[in-house]
Amino acid sequence: MQNKIKANLTLAACAICAAGTLPSVNPSGGIFLGLLNHGFIAATIGGLADWFAVTALFRKPLGISYRTEILKRNRQHISDAIVEFVSDDLLKTENIMDTVREENTASLLIDFFENYSGRDKTKTLVREILAELFMNLDSEKISRSIAPIVEGEIKNFDAQKIIAAAVKVTTDDKHARRILTALFETARKIIKSKHMQDAIFEKIVELRQAYEGDSAGRALVLASMNLTDEKILSILNENVEEKISTAVDALKPSRIFDAKKDKVAQDLIGTFNRTLKNATAQIDAEKFQAEFQKLFSGKIDTAGYVKRWLDKNVKGESIWRESVDALVDRKIDEFIGDAAQQEKFDRIVKNMIEAMVDEYHGEIPALIREKLNRFSDDELNEFVETRVENDLQMIRINGSVCGGIVGMILYVVTLIVGQLG
């Protein structure tokens, strides 16, 4: 039940009880009924007075216009007071910054990264910004600028230096491990392919037949050992898989040193490096350079090639997306683990907020006033009344209760004074 209904029922009940306890209604009621009568009359008067006061805030009670409709008549003063209070006190720059300084903005950002998909959202935002920037690139103009540089580099191509640099990079321990791992994984896929398995099986059949020849004894030995063609292929696959797995496992970097694995890895890397150096030593660098320059000396649309590459790889995200995501992840991890970065970020953000508050604080009064001016008088009345109605109706109830108590007290005082006189 709303407080308004309670207040109305309270007022009605007090009025009825006041009428029911009048001396003319109960001439033999005595002191007790007199006490009740005075209490209910005072409660009715208090309730009516508070009803009038509450109603007068918003409208004209009983049509009385004198000093009523207080909110509507004093709208301008009230609006000015609200604007002044909110802008100069509640939203004062010092008050806002006191609240902001209590927060650790770096912790809020870390929480966003870790618990609200902030990492993925940040990567998406960075990609969208870069994509928008790259989409506006004039790839044709850029390609025309780059083409002469590319053509010049091709003309000055030094095969000997390129080959030496490639060998140096490739034979580096880290890169050699990756290349060998990729080669072994590729070999595994090739060997397991149906085409290769069929070819190996045919060769096993051919070798078995050549081994057996016309010798029944050899065929009997193979049969007694259950070495069918399929069995031989299975054994061969198992041995190859074991060798590849051992090599790949040894080439994987590990924090725990294993002498056996390290020796296997170093042997593989050494063999790979020697093979690569021997192979590159057989290359005729001058002939290779001449052939390379001859290939690119024809009518090649270098600018068109560069443009197509930019359109596909840069505008199409295919070349930079993974790198950008990795960079964002790395920077976020660095931020989470670096207290100095967090402190610096927190200080920068708070300084920015304070500067913005100082810059735009003068607009707060205008914004508040604009919001208040959007309300008509009736809408403002309804807006305020709906938010304070229950509390105002409690004033009416309290007025009736307090009036009743005071009425009874005065009745008792009057009796005492009369007896003493």
Side-chain angles (χ1 to χ4, degrees), residues 292-354:
F292 182 83
Q293 290 178 341
K294 180 181 178 182
L295 175 65
F296 284 92
S297 64
K299 294 182 179 180
I300 296 178
D301 184 10
T302 307
Y305 176 81
V306 173
K307 181 181 183 303
R308 289 191 295 274
W309 187 88
L310 289 172
D311 289 340
K312 178 181 178 181
N313 295 285
V314 178
K315 290 187 176 183
E317 302 184 21
S318 61
I319 196 171
W320 56 265
R321 177 168 180 162
E322 290 185 3
S323 299
V324 167
D325 286 351
L327 177 63
V328 172
D329 276 328
R330 186 165 65 252
K331 292 301 180 182
I332 290 175
D333 290 336
E334 288 177 4
F335 180 80
I336 292 174
D338 191 337
Q341 281 193 43
Q342 295 171 23
E343 183 180 352
K344 183 178 179 181
F345 172 83
D346 185 60
R347 185 171 60 254
I348 291 172
V349 170
K350 288 175 179 176
N351 289 339
M352 288 176 59
I353 292 174
E354 186 169 10

Side-chain angles (χ1 to χ4, degrees), residues 233-267:
L233 177 62
S234 176
I235 293 172
L236 180 62
N237 284 335
E238 289 176 3
N239 280 300
V240 170
E241 176 62 28
E242 182 182 355
K243 296 294 184 185
I244 292 176
S245 296
T246 300
V248 171
D249 186 51
L251 290 168
K252 288 181 179 178
S254 176
R255 295 181 179 178
I256 302 175
F257 179 76
D258 187 321
K260 184 177 179 181
K261 286 185 179 181
D262 185 66
K263 184 178 185 309
V264 172
Q266 294 305 320
D267 289 343

